[in-house]
Amino acid sequence: MDRPIQPEVLRRNAQNKWLKIGGGVAFVLMIFLAISSLLQPKIERSLVRTALVEKGDVDAGIGATGVVVPEVEEIITSPMDSRVLKVLHRAGDTLKSGEPILLLDAGEAFLKLSRLSDQVSLKKNAQEQLRATLQGRIKRLASDIKIKELEVKQNRVKLDQNSLLFEKGIVSKNDLEQASLALERAQAELAQLQLDQENATLSTRLQLEGVELEMNILDKEKKQATDEYERSIPKSQRPGILTFALQTEGVTVRRGETVARVADLSAFRIEASVSDVHSKTIYVGMPAEIQQGTEIIKGHIGSIQPTVENGVVKIFITLDQSKQSSFRSNQRVDVTLIAGKRLATLRVKKGAMITANSKPAVFVVRGSKAIRTEIVLGISNSDYIEILGGLLEGDEIILSDMKEYAGAKEISIK
Protein backbone atom coordinates (compact mmCIF):
# COMPACT_ATOMS: atom_id res chain seq x y z
CA MET A 1 0.00 0.00 0.00
CA ASP A 2 1.43 3.43 -1.14
CA ARG A 3 2.23 5.98 1.53
CA PRO A 4 1.59 9.71 0.99
CA ILE A 5 4.68 11.91 0.29
CA GLN A 6 5.71 14.10 3.12
CA PRO A 7 4.94 17.91 2.60
CA GLU A 8 8.57 18.79 3.32
CA VAL A 9 9.68 16.53 0.48
CA LEU A 10 7.20 18.13 -1.93
CA ARG A 11 8.34 21.57 -0.87
CA ARG A 12 12.01 20.59 -1.26
CA ASN A 13 11.36 19.13 -4.74
CA ALA A 14 9.55 22.33 -5.84
CA GLN A 15 12.40 24.50 -4.59
CA ASN A 16 14.93 22.37 -6.44
CA LYS A 17 12.83 22.63 -9.61
CA TRP A 18 12.66 26.45 -9.46
CA LEU A 19 16.34 26.69 -8.61
CA LYS A 20 17.16 24.70 -11.74
CA ILE A 21 14.88 26.91 -13.85
CA GLY A 22 16.33 30.13 -12.33
CA GLY A 23 19.85 28.89 -12.83
CA GLY A 24 19.12 28.12 -16.45
CA VAL A 25 17.61 31.58 -17.00
CA ALA A 26 20.54 33.26 -15.27
CA PHE A 27 22.96 31.24 -17.38
CA VAL A 28 21.18 32.24 -20.57
CA LEU A 29 21.10 35.90 -19.41
CA MET A 30 24.81 35.82 -18.63
CA ILE A 31 25.54 34.38 -22.07
CA PHE A 32 23.32 37.10 -23.67
CA LEU A 33 25.06 39.87 -21.73
CA ALA A 34 28.45 38.44 -22.63
CA ILE A 35 27.54 38.30 -26.31
CA SER A 36 26.06 41.82 -26.16
CA SER A 37 29.23 43.04 -24.51
CA LEU A 38 31.30 41.45 -27.25
CA LEU A 39 29.11 42.92 -30.01
CA GLN A 40 28.87 46.48 -28.55
CA PRO A 41 31.33 48.88 -30.26
CA LYS A 42 34.20 50.14 -28.17
CA ILE A 43 36.64 52.98 -28.56
CA GLU A 44 39.82 54.00 -26.80
CA ARG A 45 39.41 57.31 -25.01
CA SER A 46 42.98 58.31 -25.92
CA LEU A 47 42.09 58.03 -29.60
CA VAL A 48 39.23 60.55 -29.60
CA ARG A 49 39.16 64.30 -29.25
CA THR A 50 36.46 65.80 -27.04
CA ALA A 51 35.18 69.25 -26.13
CA LEU A 52 32.87 70.73 -23.52
CA VAL A 53 29.70 72.61 -24.33
CA GLU A 54 30.09 76.13 -22.96
CA LYS A 55 28.52 79.54 -23.06
CA GLY A 56 30.11 82.24 -25.19
CA ASP A 57 29.85 84.41 -28.28
CA VAL A 58 29.60 82.98 -31.79
CA ASP A 59 30.17 84.97 -34.97
CA ALA A 60 28.10 83.90 -37.97
CA GLY A 61 30.57 83.24 -40.76
CA ILE A 62 30.51 82.92 -44.54
CA GLY A 63 33.31 80.68 -45.77
CA ALA A 64 35.55 81.80 -48.60
CA THR A 65 38.82 80.78 -50.19
CA GLY A 66 41.57 83.35 -50.44
CA VAL A 67 45.00 83.99 -51.87
CA VAL A 68 47.61 86.28 -50.33
CA VAL A 69 48.62 89.05 -52.75
CA PRO A 70 50.92 92.06 -52.24
CA GLU A 71 49.10 95.18 -51.08
CA VAL A 72 51.07 97.19 -53.63
CA GLU A 73 52.32 95.69 -56.89
CA GLU A 74 53.75 97.71 -59.76
CA ILE A 75 53.08 96.31 -63.23
CA ILE A 76 55.64 97.47 -65.80
CA THR A 77 54.57 97.27 -69.46
CA SER A 78 56.38 97.76 -72.75
CA PRO A 79 55.85 101.29 -74.14
CA MET A 80 56.18 100.06 -77.74
CA ASP A 81 56.64 97.07 -80.01
CA SER A 82 60.20 96.01 -79.33
CA ARG A 83 62.43 93.12 -78.26
CA VAL A 84 64.47 92.32 -75.16
CA LEU A 85 68.13 93.21 -75.61
CA LYS A 86 69.39 92.29 -72.15
CA VAL A 87 68.03 90.84 -68.89
CA LEU A 88 69.45 92.71 -65.90
CA HIS A 89 67.51 91.05 -63.03
CA ARG A 90 65.73 87.79 -62.31
CA ALA A 91 62.53 87.09 -60.37
CA GLY A 92 63.20 87.19 -56.64
CA ASP A 93 65.84 89.95 -56.83
CA THR A 94 65.53 92.90 -54.48
CA LEU A 95 65.34 96.22 -56.34
CA LYS A 96 65.98 99.81 -55.38
CA SER A 97 63.87 102.68 -56.63
CA GLY A 98 64.81 103.54 -60.22
CA GLU A 99 66.92 100.40 -60.72
CA PRO A 100 66.84 99.06 -64.34
CA ILE A 101 65.30 95.59 -64.89
CA LEU A 102 65.57 95.03 -68.67
CA LEU A 103 66.97 96.71 -71.74
CA LEU A 104 64.59 97.00 -74.72
CA ASP A 105 65.48 97.83 -78.31
CA ALA A 106 64.76 101.60 -78.48
CA GLY A 107 65.96 102.31 -82.04
CA GLU A 108 62.49 103.04 -83.41
CA ALA A 109 61.59 105.13 -80.37
CA PHE A 110 64.78 107.19 -80.81
CA LEU A 111 64.00 107.86 -84.49
CA LYS A 112 60.45 108.86 -83.63
CA LEU A 113 61.68 111.22 -80.91
CA SER A 114 64.24 112.80 -83.29
CA ARG A 115 61.62 113.29 -86.00
CA LEU A 116 59.21 114.95 -83.59
CA SER A 117 61.97 117.17 -82.19
CA ASP A 118 62.71 118.41 -85.73
CA GLN A 119 59.00 119.01 -86.38
CA VAL A 120 58.69 121.00 -83.16
CA SER A 121 61.68 123.14 -84.11
CA LEU A 122 60.28 123.80 -87.60
CA LYS A 123 56.86 124.64 -86.20
CA LYS A 124 58.37 127.08 -83.71
CA ASN A 125 60.26 128.79 -86.53
CA ALA A 126 57.07 129.01 -88.65
CA GLN A 127 55.19 130.33 -85.67
CA GLU A 128 57.71 133.14 -85.13
CA GLN A 129 57.67 134.05 -88.83
CA LEU A 130 53.86 134.17 -88.89
CA ARG A 131 53.80 136.27 -85.72
CA ALA A 132 56.29 138.75 -87.23
CA THR A 133 54.32 138.98 -90.52
CA LEU A 134 50.96 139.49 -88.83
CA GLN A 135 52.30 142.00 -86.32
CA GLY A 136 53.97 143.93 -89.16
CA ARG A 137 50.64 144.13 -91.00
CA ILE A 138 48.89 145.43 -87.89
CA LYS A 139 51.63 148.04 -87.40
CA ARG A 140 51.27 149.23 -91.04
CA LEU A 141 47.51 149.53 -90.59
CA ALA A 142 48.05 151.49 -87.39
CA SER A 143 50.38 153.85 -89.28
CA ASP A 144 47.88 154.26 -92.14
CA ILE A 145 45.12 155.02 -89.65
CA LYS A 146 47.23 157.72 -88.01
CA ILE A 147 47.94 159.35 -91.38
CA LYS A 148 44.27 159.13 -92.34
CA GLU A 149 43.23 160.69 -89.04
CA LEU A 150 45.50 163.66 -89.81
CA GLU A 151 44.00 163.91 -93.30
CA VAL A 152 40.46 163.92 -91.81
CA LYS A 153 41.51 166.62 -89.39
CA GLN A 154 43.02 168.69 -92.18
CA ASN A 155 39.90 168.36 -94.38
CA ARG A 156 37.67 169.36 -91.49
CA VAL A 157 39.72 172.52 -90.93
CA LYS A 158 39.62 173.30 -94.67
CA LEU A 159 35.82 172.79 -94.72
CA ASP A 160 35.39 175.15 -91.77
CA GLN A 161 37.51 177.80 -93.51
CA ASN A 162 35.57 177.50 -96.79
CA SER A 163 32.29 177.79 -94.88
CA LEU A 164 33.39 181.17 -93.43
CA LEU A 165 34.70 182.40 -96.79
CA PHE A 166 31.49 181.26 -98.51
CA GLU A 167 29.43 183.34 -96.06
CA LYS A 168 31.58 186.39 -96.95
CA GLY A 169 31.29 185.59 -100.67
CA ILE A 170 34.98 185.01 -101.16
CA VAL A 171 34.69 181.36 -102.36
CA SER A 172 32.06 179.74 -104.53
CA LYS A 173 29.51 177.17 -103.51
CA ASN A 174 31.35 174.59 -105.64
CA ASP A 175 34.53 175.05 -103.60
CA LEU A 176 32.51 174.52 -100.40
CA GLU A 177 31.00 171.30 -101.74
CA GLN A 178 34.42 170.00 -102.84
CA ALA A 179 35.83 170.59 -99.35
CA SER A 180 32.84 168.74 -97.81
CA LEU A 181 33.26 165.76 -100.15
CA ALA A 182 36.97 165.56 -99.38
CA LEU A 183 36.18 165.33 -95.65
CA GLU A 184 33.57 162.61 -96.14
CA ARG A 185 35.95 160.62 -98.35
CA ALA A 186 38.72 160.81 -95.74
CA GLN A 187 36.32 159.79 -92.94
CA ALA A 188 35.10 156.75 -94.96
CA GLU A 189 38.68 155.69 -95.69
CA LEU A 190 39.54 156.07 -91.99
CA ALA A 191 36.57 153.88 -90.99
CA GLN A 192 37.67 151.23 -93.50
CA LEU A 193 41.21 151.26 -92.17
CA GLN A 194 39.93 150.89 -88.60
CA LEU A 195 37.75 147.94 -89.67
CA ASP A 196 40.75 146.37 -91.45
CA GLN A 197 42.74 146.80 -88.26
CA GLU A 198 40.08 145.02 -86.19
CA ASN A 199 39.85 142.18 -88.72
CA ALA A 200 43.64 141.88 -88.90
CA THR A 201 43.89 141.77 -85.13
CA LEU A 202 41.22 139.03 -84.90
CA SER A 203 42.78 137.10 -87.80
CA THR A 204 46.20 137.36 -86.18
CA ARG A 205 44.90 136.02 -82.87
CA LEU A 206 43.09 133.10 -84.55
CA GLN A 207 46.06 132.16 -86.73
CA LEU A 208 48.46 132.30 -83.81
CA GLU A 209 46.07 130.23 -81.67
CA GLY A 210 45.87 127.65 -84.47
CA VAL A 211 49.64 127.43 -84.66
CA GLU A 212 49.80 127.26 -80.86
CA LEU A 213 47.35 124.33 -80.91
CA GLU A 214 49.50 122.55 -83.49
CA MET A 215 52.52 123.24 -81.28
CA ASN A 216 50.75 121.76 -78.24
CA ILE A 217 49.85 118.63 -80.20
CA LEU A 218 53.45 118.23 -81.35
CA ASP A 219 54.71 118.88 -77.82
CA LYS A 220 52.42 116.15 -76.45
CA GLU A 221 53.56 113.73 -79.13
CA LYS A 222 57.17 114.60 -78.36
CA LYS A 223 56.56 114.14 -74.62
CA GLN A 224 54.96 110.76 -75.28
CA ALA A 225 57.85 109.77 -77.54
CA THR A 226 60.32 110.92 -74.85
CA ASP A 227 58.44 108.85 -72.26
CA GLU A 228 58.50 105.81 -74.55
CA TYR A 229 62.21 106.24 -75.13
CA GLU A 230 62.95 106.62 -71.41
CA ARG A 231 60.76 103.59 -70.61
CA SER A 232 62.73 101.48 -73.07
CA ILE A 233 64.78 100.73 -69.95
CA PRO A 234 62.06 99.37 -67.59
CA LYS A 235 62.77 100.50 -64.04
CA SER A 236 61.21 99.96 -60.65
CA GLN A 237 59.48 103.09 -59.39
CA ARG A 238 59.75 101.97 -55.76
CA PRO A 239 61.86 99.57 -53.68
CA GLY A 240 60.55 96.00 -53.76
CA ILE A 241 60.92 92.40 -54.87
CA LEU A 242 60.91 91.49 -58.56
CA THR A 243 58.12 88.89 -58.75
CA PHE A 244 58.14 88.53 -62.55
CA ALA A 245 60.31 89.59 -65.49
CA LEU A 246 60.87 88.44 -69.05
CA GLN A 247 63.90 86.17 -69.00
CA THR A 248 64.62 85.48 -72.68
CA GLU A 249 66.89 87.90 -74.51
CA GLY A 250 65.77 88.59 -78.07
CA VAL A 251 62.09 87.78 -77.41
CA THR A 252 59.59 90.11 -79.10
CA VAL A 253 57.25 92.19 -76.93
CA ARG A 254 54.18 94.16 -77.95
CA ARG A 255 53.04 97.58 -76.81
CA GLY A 256 51.25 97.25 -73.46
CA GLU A 257 52.59 93.75 -72.76
CA THR A 258 53.70 93.13 -69.16
CA VAL A 259 57.48 92.81 -68.98
CA ALA A 260 57.95 92.91 -65.18
CA ARG A 261 56.16 93.11 -61.83
CA VAL A 262 57.61 94.62 -58.67
CA ALA A 263 55.86 94.05 -55.33
CA ASP A 264 56.24 95.35 -51.82
CA LEU A 265 56.26 92.04 -49.93
CA SER A 266 56.19 93.67 -46.52
CA ALA A 267 52.45 94.40 -46.77
CA PHE A 268 49.66 92.14 -48.07
CA ARG A 269 45.97 91.89 -48.72
CA ILE A 270 43.71 88.92 -49.49
CA GLU A 271 42.03 88.22 -52.82
CA ALA A 272 39.07 85.96 -51.96
CA SER A 273 36.26 84.21 -53.84
CA VAL A 274 32.72 83.92 -52.41
CA SER A 275 29.74 82.04 -53.82
CA ASP A 276 27.29 84.37 -55.56
CA VAL A 277 24.49 83.14 -53.26
CA HIS A 278 26.01 85.51 -50.68
CA SER A 279 26.25 88.47 -53.08
CA LYS A 280 23.44 90.34 -51.31
CA THR A 281 24.92 89.65 -47.87
CA ILE A 282 28.48 90.86 -48.32
CA TYR A 283 29.35 94.57 -48.27
CA VAL A 284 32.39 96.85 -48.22
CA GLY A 285 33.65 97.13 -44.64
CA MET A 286 32.29 93.70 -43.63
CA PRO A 287 34.55 92.15 -40.94
CA ALA A 288 36.65 89.16 -41.97
CA GLU A 289 38.94 86.62 -40.30
CA ILE A 290 41.86 84.93 -42.04
CA GLN A 291 43.09 81.58 -40.72
CA GLN A 292 46.89 81.45 -40.67
CA GLY A 293 47.83 78.20 -38.98
CA THR A 294 46.55 78.54 -35.42
CA GLU A 295 46.45 82.35 -35.68
CA ILE A 296 43.37 84.38 -36.62
CA ILE A 297 44.16 87.62 -38.50
CA LYS A 298 41.48 90.32 -38.58
CA GLY A 299 40.51 92.38 -41.61
CA HIS A 300 37.54 93.74 -43.57
CA ILE A 301 36.28 93.78 -47.15
CA GLY A 302 38.00 96.67 -48.93
CA SER A 303 36.36 96.28 -52.34
CA ILE A 304 33.97 93.99 -54.24
CA GLN A 305 34.12 93.36 -57.96
CA PRO A 306 30.75 94.27 -59.53
CA THR A 307 30.59 91.24 -61.84
CA VAL A 308 29.96 87.55 -61.14
CA GLU A 309 32.13 85.01 -62.94
CA ASN A 310 31.33 81.28 -62.90
CA GLY A 311 29.07 81.70 -59.88
CA VAL A 312 31.78 83.43 -57.85
CA VAL A 313 32.13 87.00 -56.55
CA LYS A 314 35.71 88.25 -56.15
CA ILE A 315 36.48 90.45 -53.14
CA PHE A 316 39.62 92.08 -51.76
CA ILE A 317 40.19 92.03 -48.01
CA THR A 318 42.23 94.74 -46.33
CA LEU A 319 44.08 93.49 -43.25
CA ASP A 320 43.94 95.49 -40.03
CA GLN A 321 47.70 94.99 -39.89
CA SER A 322 48.89 94.64 -43.48
CA LYS A 323 52.49 93.87 -42.49
CA GLN A 324 52.40 90.09 -41.81
CA SER A 325 55.80 88.40 -41.77
CA SER A 326 54.18 84.94 -41.81
CA PHE A 327 52.45 85.53 -45.17
CA ARG A 328 53.89 84.59 -48.54
CA SER A 329 52.73 85.87 -51.91
CA ASN A 330 50.20 83.52 -53.62
CA GLN A 331 49.74 81.57 -50.37
CA ARG A 332 46.25 80.04 -50.03
CA VAL A 333 44.31 80.82 -46.84
CA ASP A 334 40.85 80.15 -45.38
CA VAL A 335 38.67 83.23 -44.99
CA THR A 336 35.56 83.72 -42.85
CA LEU A 337 33.34 86.74 -43.43
CA ILE A 338 31.52 87.77 -40.24
CA ALA A 339 27.82 88.16 -41.11
CA GLY A 340 26.41 88.35 -37.56
CA LYS A 341 27.04 87.66 -33.86
CA ARG A 342 25.29 85.68 -31.10
CA LEU A 343 26.14 86.67 -27.53
CA ALA A 344 26.27 84.34 -24.50
CA THR A 345 24.89 81.32 -26.37
CA LEU A 346 25.70 77.63 -26.05
CA ARG A 347 28.63 76.75 -28.24
CA VAL A 348 31.15 74.00 -28.83
CA LYS A 349 34.34 73.77 -30.84
CA LYS A 350 33.87 72.59 -34.41
CA GLY A 351 34.56 68.96 -35.23
CA ALA A 352 33.42 66.07 -37.45
CA MET A 353 29.69 66.00 -36.57
CA ILE A 354 27.71 62.81 -37.32
CA THR A 355 24.72 63.21 -39.63
CA ALA A 356 21.98 60.58 -39.72
CA ASN A 357 18.43 60.79 -41.04
CA SER A 358 19.18 64.39 -42.05
CA LYS A 359 19.52 65.26 -38.37
CA PRO A 360 22.89 66.23 -36.90
CA ALA A 361 23.98 64.09 -33.97
CA VAL A 362 27.00 63.76 -31.72
CA PHE A 363 28.20 61.24 -29.15
CA VAL A 364 27.95 62.62 -25.62
CA VAL A 365 30.30 61.14 -23.03
CA ARG A 366 28.37 59.72 -20.03
CA GLY A 367 30.82 57.97 -17.73
CA SER A 368 32.19 54.94 -19.61
CA LYS A 369 29.64 55.30 -22.41
CA ALA A 370 29.24 57.61 -25.37
CA ILE A 371 25.53 58.12 -26.07
CA ARG A 372 24.38 59.17 -29.54
CA THR A 373 22.35 62.39 -29.13
CA GLU A 374 20.51 64.38 -31.77
CA ILE A 375 21.17 68.11 -31.62
CA VAL A 376 20.01 71.34 -33.23
CA LEU A 377 22.75 73.53 -34.70
CA GLY A 378 22.80 77.30 -35.20
CA ILE A 379 25.33 79.67 -36.73
CA SER A 380 29.01 78.80 -36.95
CA ASN A 381 32.45 80.14 -37.77
CA SER A 382 35.90 78.67 -38.20
CA ASP A 383 36.20 77.85 -34.47
CA TYR A 384 32.78 77.38 -32.91
CA ILE A 385 29.28 76.19 -33.78
CA GLU A 386 26.15 77.27 -31.92
CA ILE A 387 24.02 74.63 -30.12
CA LEU A 388 20.30 75.42 -30.14
CA GLY A 389 19.06 72.15 -28.68
CA GLY A 390 19.95 68.63 -27.49
CA LEU A 391 22.90 69.56 -25.27
CA LEU A 392 23.46 71.33 -21.96
CA GLU A 393 26.27 73.47 -20.71
CA GLY A 394 29.08 71.21 -19.43
CA ASP A 395 28.24 68.24 -21.69
CA GLU A 396 31.32 66.57 -23.16
CA ILE A 397 31.02 65.55 -26.80
CA ILE A 398 33.33 63.64 -29.13
CA LEU A 399 34.76 65.85 -31.90
CA SER A 400 36.63 63.11 -33.76
CA ASP A 401 35.29 61.55 -36.95
CA MET A 402 32.69 58.96 -35.84
CA LYS A 403 31.13 58.08 -39.19
CA GLU A 404 31.92 54.36 -38.74
CA TYR A 405 29.70 54.41 -35.63
CA ALA A 406 26.81 56.23 -37.31
CA GLY A 407 24.41 53.29 -36.70
CA ALA A 408 25.34 52.82 -33.02
CA LYS A 409 23.18 54.18 -30.22
CA GLU A 410 26.01 54.04 -27.70
CA ILE A 411 29.69 53.18 -27.58
CA SER A 412 31.79 51.82 -24.74
CA ILE A 413 34.76 53.97 -23.85
CA LYS A 414 37.88 52.26 -22.56
Side-chain angles (χ1 to χ4, degrees):
M1 182 175 177
D2 294 333
R3 289 183 295 177
I5 300 175
Q6 297 281 333
E8 291 113 359
V9 174
L10 292 174
R11 191 182 309 110
R12 191 180 304 112
N13 290 337
Q15 288 175 350
N16 291 335
K17 179 181 178 180
W18 284 109
L19 284 172
K20 290 178 180 179
I21 293 173
V25 171
F27 180 72
V28 171
L29 183 61
M30 289 176 63
I31 292 175
F32 175 76
L33 292 175
I35 293 173
S36 298
S37 177
L38 291 173
L39 294 178
Q40 188 178 52
K42 298 180 177 62
I43 193 170
E44 293 284 346
R45 186 177 183 90
S46 60
L47 299 179
V48 297
R49 187 166 60 96
T50 64
L52 294 177
V53 178
E54 60 183 12
K55 278 194 174 182
D57 301 339
V58 179
D59 297 324
I62 298 173
T65 57
V67 176
V68 178
V69 296
E71 187 177 38
V72 178
E73 185 175 32
E74 178 188 0
I75 298 178
I76 303 172
T77 59
S78 174
M80 57 197 166
D81 293 342
S82 183
R83 63 189 181 91
V84 178
L85 292 180
K86 189 174 182 180
V87 176
L88 302 177
H89 283 284
R90 306 280 178 180
D93 289 353
T94 301
L95 300 177
K96 299 177 182 178
S97 179
E99 189 169 358
I101 302 171
L102 301 167
L103 291 181
L104 299 180
D105 185 357
E108 185 177 346
F110 178 75
L111 291 176
K112 182 179 179 181
L113 178 59
S114 299
R115 183 174 63 254
L116 286 170
S117 297
D118 292 341
Q119 290 179 359
V120 169
S121 298
L122 290 173
K123 185 59 69 175
K124 283 184 178 180
N125 185 47
Q127 183 184 33
E128 293 301 322
Q129 289 182 359
L130 178 62
R131 181 179 285 109
T133 300
L134 295 175
Q135 288 179 352
R137 182 184 174 190
I138 292 175
K139 288 180 179 179
R140 286 195 300 273
L141 285 171
S143 178
D144 292 343
I145 288 172
K146 191 172 183 180
I147 293 171
K148 190 58 67 175
E149 286 175 345
L150 292 175
E151 185 178 341
V152 169
K153 185 177 181 181
Q154 181 181 5
N155 287 333
R156 183 175 290 112
V157 171
K158 188 175 181 179
L159 178 61
D160 292 341
Q161 290 176 348
N162 284 342
S163 297
L164 292 175
L165 294 174
F166 176 75
E167 290 176 358
K168 295 180 178 181
I170 299 176
V171 297
S172 65
K173 184 177 181 180
N174 183 52
D175 292 336
L176 181 61
E177 290 176 352
Q178 290 295 327
S180 177
L181 288 173
L183 177 59
E184 290 178 4
R185 188 184 303 111
Q187 288 175 334
E189 291 174 351
L190 176 61
Q192 184 61 48
L193 287 172
Q194 290 173 338
L195 180 60
D196 291 344
Q197 185 185 45
E198 291 178 3
N199 292 335
T201 302
L202 178 60
S203 176
T204 298
R205 181 171 62 82
L206 293 176
Q207 290 186 62
L208 290 176
E209 286 179 355
V211 174
E212 188 68 28
L213 180 60
E214 293 178 3
M215 281 291 302
N216 290 337
I217 294 174
L218 282 175
D219 282 337
K220 288 180 180 179
E221 292 179 356
K222 181 183 176 182
K223 184 177 180 181
Q224 182 179 359
T226 302
D227 182 60
E228 289 180 358
Y229 180 69
E230 291 177 350
R231 286 169 55 201
S232 64
I233 304 178
K235 302 175 182 178
S236 172
Q237 299 301 313
R238 56 173 56 85
I241 303 297
L242 184 64
T243 57
F244 166 78
L246 295 178
Q247 300 295 294
T248 306
E249 295 182 357
V251 67
T252 300
V253 293
R254 300 298 180 189
R255 174 189 289 270
E257 182 179 344
T258 300
V259 296
R261 290 192 185 95
V262 180
D264 179 3
L265 297 185
S266 64
F268 297 94
R269 60 176 179 165
I270 307 299
E271 179 182 322
S273 299
V274 185
S275 172
D276 61 349
V277 299
H278 302 296
S279 59
K280 294 184 178 179
T281 305
I282 60 177
Y283 57 91
V284 174
M286 185 177 188
E289 294 181 348
I290 295 86
Q291 185 81 33
Q292 170 66 7
T294 58
E295 185 182 4
I296 299 295
I297 298 171
K298 303 289 186 179
H300 61 273
I301 296 179
S303 61
I304 303 173
Q305 284 195 352
T307 57
V308 177
E309 296 182 4
N310 300 321
V312 170
V313 179
K314 185 172 288 187
I315 62 175
F316 291 93
I317 298 173
T318 301
L319 304 179
D320 294 347
Q321 293 183 349
S322 60
K323 295 184 180 297
Q324 297 289 336
S325 59
S326 58
F327 276 159
R328 294 293 180 269
S329 184
N330 294 325
Q331 175 185 355
R332 293 194 173 275
V333 291
D334 293 325
V335 178
T336 302
L337 305 176
I338 308 304
K341 193 178 187 70
R342 297 282 177 82
L343 303 176
T345 186
L346 282 181
R347 69 179 188 180
V348 70
K349 288 184 177 180
K350 294 189 74 172
M353 298 294 184
I354 296 177
T355 301
N357 300 324
S358 301
K359 293 182 179 180
V362 294
F363 282 99
V364 182
V365 178
R366 308 286 188 196
S368 62
K369 302 286 186 182
I371 311 299
R372 184 179 181 277
T373 305
E374 293 184 354
I375 60 175
V376 180
L377 303 178
I379 64 175
S380 65
N381 56 33
S382 58
D383 294 322
Y384 292 98
I385 187 166
E386 183 185 23
I387 304 298
L388 298 179
L391 297 175
L392 299 174
E393 184 178 3
D395 282 347
E396 184 180 10
I397 69 168
I398 296 177
L399 297 181
S400 303
D401 187 356
M402 302 291 284
K403 289 181 180 178
E404 59 181 298
Y405 303 101
K409 298 296 183 182
E410 64 180 49
I411 303 172
S412 295
I413 300 178
K414 293 182 180 181

